[in-house]
Amino acid sequence: MADLLRRFATCGESWVWLMRHVRDEGGPAEDDRGPVIEAPAVLFEIDRIGWDDPVLAAYGDAGKTALYASKFTEVTVVPPFKYSYGGRLRRLLGTDQLSWVSGLLRARPYSKSAWISLTVPGERPDAVPCLTSLAFRLRDGRLVMTAAFRSQNVLTSYLNYVPLRSIQSEVADDLGVGCGSTRVFIDVPHIYVADAATVEEILRRSEHDGLGEGEDSGEGSPGPAGRSGRDRGRLRPDRGRGAP
């Protein structure tokens, strides 16, 4: 049976692949913020995540790193965001969920039950977080983590992955173990049509510079995620809202 899990050595490699995936496999859809290109769901694993990543250094937006980090560190909502991951991780319904995870894995190192939710029933639809849950497991003496996103703007995905590795490291340090890989599931990866030119420029530059080329080839993976280079005109903003 084919391995459905793609693996990447670095965050930058996964970011470049994600943008290609949406560009090549996506189709038009609508969003509150304007027209988007949506692609099939993806599941992948990253070994190394950090701001020292050469791809992030070359093509990332350094001016947004502190803002996105605050979404994970502050327990109150930081504008323009509509929710705080920090608050949901540490004060959701009065529970410090990261402490709960550490306590569970300390008592039961073999457990697969260290799943935490970042959503609550009945909350405002415009405040439902993109990151819906995190799972932590101890494997081979290291802490591995899974992050599940209901939806994600892949242009800014890396701005979430680096702070997430800090969360993973915090729990690992509390348990006295090292960090393993980070697994990511995105149900609806997308790009805003308004950002299409930016995406194309990053992909053009990365191909020219030979950065971000170390990702898993995906050979043997079934479905659209295994294809590339199809219909690159999909992301042209002049295709318009609702264009086929």
Side-chain angles (χ1 to χ4, degrees):
M1 180 177 179
D3 187 352
L4 302 182
L5 179 66
R6 288 180 175 269
R7 294 179 173 85
F8 299 92
T10 68
C11 179
E13 291 171 4
S14 69
W15 180 41
V16 170
W17 177 82
L18 270 172
M19 288 187 288
R20 285 184 187 144
H21 171 67
V22 177
R23 180 192 67 182
D24 296 342
E25 308 299 339
E30 296 297 320
D31 184 87
D32 290 340
R33 290 168 50 190
V36 296
I37 304 298
E38 291 184 357
V42 293
L43 175 66
F44 57 93
E45 202 167 77
I46 311 170
D47 288 334
R48 301 188 304 277
I49 304 176
W51 292 126
D52 58 345
D53 187 310
V55 175
L56 304 188
Y59 317 122
D61 188 345
K64 292 182 178 178
T65 57
L67 175 63
Y68 274 76
S70 70
K71 185 166 56 170
F72 289 85
T73 57
E74 301 295 328
V75 296
T76 57
V77 177
V78 177
F81 304 119
K82 297 179 180 179
Y83 46 81
S84 162
Y85 289 140
R88 291 171 186 250
L89 289 168
R90 303 172 195 282
R91 293 185 182 177
L92 187 63
L93 303 178
T95 298
D96 185 331
Q97 299 204 86
L98 298 182
S99 293
W100 178 84
V101 164
S102 296
L104 172 61
L105 293 178
R106 192 175 290 110
R108 301 167 57 198
Y110 53 83
S111 181
K112 297 181 288 293
S113 298
W115 275 87
I116 58 177
S117 174
L118 281 79
T119 66
V120 294
E123 64 183 327
R124 297 194 338 264
D126 66 343
V128 177
C130 293
L131 175 64
T132 58
S133 61
L134 293 174
F136 300 84
R137 300 171 302 285
L138 287 170
R139 293 293 181 271
D140 300 321
R142 301 174 74 83
L143 183 74
V144 298
M145 184 180 76
T146 297
F149 291 85
R150 62 170 177 81
S151 177
Q152 187 167 68
N153 176 6
V154 302
L155 175 60
T156 57
S157 58
Y158 67 95
L159 290 166
N160 292 284
Y161 299 162
V162 180
L164 272 174
R165 176 52 67 97
S166 296
I167 298 298
Q168 184 179 359
S169 297
E170 179 181 337
V171 177
D173 289 346
D174 196 20
L175 294 170
V177 299
C179 265
S181 61
T182 300
R183 187 174 296 176
V184 179
F185 170 73
I186 310 172
D187 193 30
V188 186
H190 65 272
I191 290 171
Y192 290 94
V193 170
D195 294 328
T198 300
V199 170
E200 289 290 354
E201 177 62 13
I202 293 172
L203 292 179
R204 184 195 66 77
R205 290 173 59 196
S206 68
E207 290 167 4
H208 176 270
D209 299 340
L211 290 176
E213 298 296 330
E215 70 269 16
D216 184 334
S217 66
E219 291 181 5
S221 297
R227 300 193 301 270
S228 63
R230 179 170 59 84
D231 194 5
R232 296 192 177 191
R234 286 181 183 274
L235 293 187
R236 285 175 46 202
D238 58 359
R239 293 287 290 265
R241 183 184 294 265

